[in-house]
Amino acid sequence: MLHRKQTVEHLFGTIKLWMGTMHLLTRRFKNVSTEISLLVLAYNFRRMLTIIGASGLSKAIRLALQ
């Protein structure tokens, strides 16, 4: 349980920092689920850009579309 808390907290801490607030902007499960999904997608996209760079990402997209 300690290991799980440490690895997951980084992601949510970063997302909360990006949002600039501790609260979600929407209400109800469906809306909150959508908001979290978009935030996680943006987080993953930014990590991809950091790890492989813009040129590597465009190359990977071109290969995937072929």
Side-chain angles (χ1 to χ4, degrees):
M1 190 66 176
L2 283 174
H3 180 66
R4 181 173 178 223
K5 283 182 181 178
Q6 292 169 355
T7 56
V8 174
E9 183 59 34
H10 174 70
L11 169 66
F12 289 111
T14 302
I15 289 174
K16 285 179 184 178
L17 180 69
W18 284 0
M19 289 173 53
T21 181
M22 298 294 258
H23 305 286
L24 296 171
L25 301 175
T26 57
R27 302 251 186 242
R28 297 194 176 104
F29 181 77
K30 182 180 175 186
N31 297 338
V32 169
S33 178
T34 302
E35 185 177 353
I36 291 294
S37 296
L38 289 171
L39 288 167
V40 170
L41 177 67
Y43 175 82
N44 288 334
F45 187 73
R46 187 168 177 183
R47 278 202 69 201
M48 253 192 321
L49 283 174
T50 301
I51 293 170
I52 63 175
S55 61
L57 181 60
S58 65
K59 189 186 302 182
I61 290 172
R62 270 185 265 133
L63 287 174
L65 294 176
Q66 288 181 352

